Amino acid sequence: MTTKTKWMIATLMLSSGHLLANAFPPQAFVQAEERGQALLFTRLNNCYGVTPAHVMGSDFFASLMGTGKNRPVGDADFLQKFGYDLSILYVSGSLSQHCGNNITDIPNLDDLLNGATRAVVSSVNDGGELTRQTQTVIDKGLIYFRVRPESPSDRLYQGMSGSLVIVNEQAAGILQSVDAETGEGKVLRLDRALETVRPFFRSNDNNTETIPISVAQPTISSKIEVIEWSEPPLSLI
């Protein structure tokens, strides 16, 4: 199979919404303090979104739109901020039925990225349509790699933070930022991103899951403890 044929197959899978189980986590458009993107994962039958923290900003809630024929939508509650400009969202609504693999499944990307020369940045616009920009991989590291548009039509722009970056038909990273001068994109490796958020879920491995916090009702005890007498106690004779 030629390289061109592989890229055509990947494009068709993305366009039709049929995502390979271990390749492409579902994506969603995010509207919060800023516009951006989220990748959707599951954990104990709940749906979670991973998005750059700067997209959420100071907001605690976000509106999401997925891709596909029916354009599923959802609401998201901010749960926690992490290093590498990451945040976790709890996703509800019809979109929560379209989440991907277990969020604690960490891919091994070392060999994939060592030989990487090209990538595709996949995003969802505010109408629920997938867009794709072909990129050249220009720098690779243990945490980040960088990409550069192959043509003016493949430029990266505001609202794409959090986009899925695909290398050789595999999910490889999350677009974190774009240099306004050079047009180059900074990509956080997907394995590093999932390693960063995994401890949040490991603390709930006793078959309970962290969801948006509800306020506990106080309990009133009938037991009275005397701390100090205002007057000497009376003695009954």
Side-chain angles (χ1 to χ4, degrees):
M1 184 182 296
T2 66
T3 300
K4 182 178 180 180
T5 302
K6 291 181 179 179
W7 284 100
M8 290 177 64
I9 291 174
T11 300
L12 288 172
M13 288 188 295
L14 285 167
S15 301
S16 63
H18 298 294
L19 306 177
L20 288 178
N22 294 311
F24 308 130
Q27 302 169 243
F29 171 82
V30 179
Q31 178 64 65
E33 184 170 299
E34 296 185 12
R35 292 185 169 197
Q37 309 286 312
L39 303 185
L40 306 178
F41 299 89
T42 57
R43 178 66 173 160
L44 298 180
N45 297 317
N46 288 317
C47 181
Y48 296 91
V50 177
T51 190
H54 75 262
V55 171
M56 293 301 298
S58 59
D59 286 0
F60 289 94
F61 306 98
S63 298
L64 277 65
M65 176 178 286
T67 187
K69 183 178 180 180
N70 297 320
R71 304 290 196 270
V73 296
D75 296 315
D77 297 273
F78 170 80
L79 293 180
Q80 187 169 325
K81 180 179 179 180
F82 299 84
Y84 303 127
D85 189 32
L86 291 174
S87 63
I88 284 286
L89 311 176
Y90 178 81
V91 180
S92 58
S94 62
L95 184 61
S96 65
Q97 305 302 312
H98 299 267
C99 286
N101 289 346
N102 193 318
I103 197 167
T104 57
D105 293 341
I106 310 296
N108 187 339
L109 299 177
D110 291 337
D111 292 340
L112 175 69
L113 292 176
N114 284 340
T117 59
R118 301 179 73 199
V120 167
V121 175
S122 176
S123 308
V124 180
N125 64 24
D126 58 3
E129 297 178 346
L130 275 170
T131 62
R132 294 167 297 281
Q133 282 77 26
T134 304
Q135 309 287 307
T136 299
V137 178
I138 57 175
D139 186 30
K140 292 167 278 189
L142 295 177
I143 299 174
Y144 297 100
F145 62 96
R146 302 184 72 85
V147 296
R148 176 186 297 153
E150 289 197 345
S151 68
S153 62
D154 293 313
R155 69 182 183 88
L156 305 175
Y157 50 87
Q158 187 177 8
M160 295 180 67
S161 293
S163 295
L164 175 66
V165 180
I166 301 167
V167 173
N168 196 25
E169 302 175 36
Q170 295 186 48
I174 300 173
L175 182 67
Q176 294 286 83
S177 62
V178 178
D179 189 310
E181 294 184 1
T182 65
E184 297 174 0
K186 181 180 179 182
V187 182
L188 177 64
R189 289 174 49 149
L190 187 60
D191 51 355
R192 299 297 174 257
L194 297 182
E195 287 169 356
T196 300
V197 302
R198 181 168 56 179
F200 176 84
F201 297 95
R202 277 188 167 178
S203 64
N204 297 284
D205 276 348
N206 56 351
N207 292 327
T208 61
E209 194 62 9
T210 301
I211 58 176
I213 299 173
S214 59
V215 178
Q217 297 297 319
T219 57
I220 301 176
S221 173
S222 60
K223 181 180 178 180
I224 300 176
E225 180 181 358
V226 176
I227 303 301
E228 181 180 358
W229 293 102
S230 60
E231 297 290 343
L234 297 176
S235 298
L236 298 177
I237 300 176

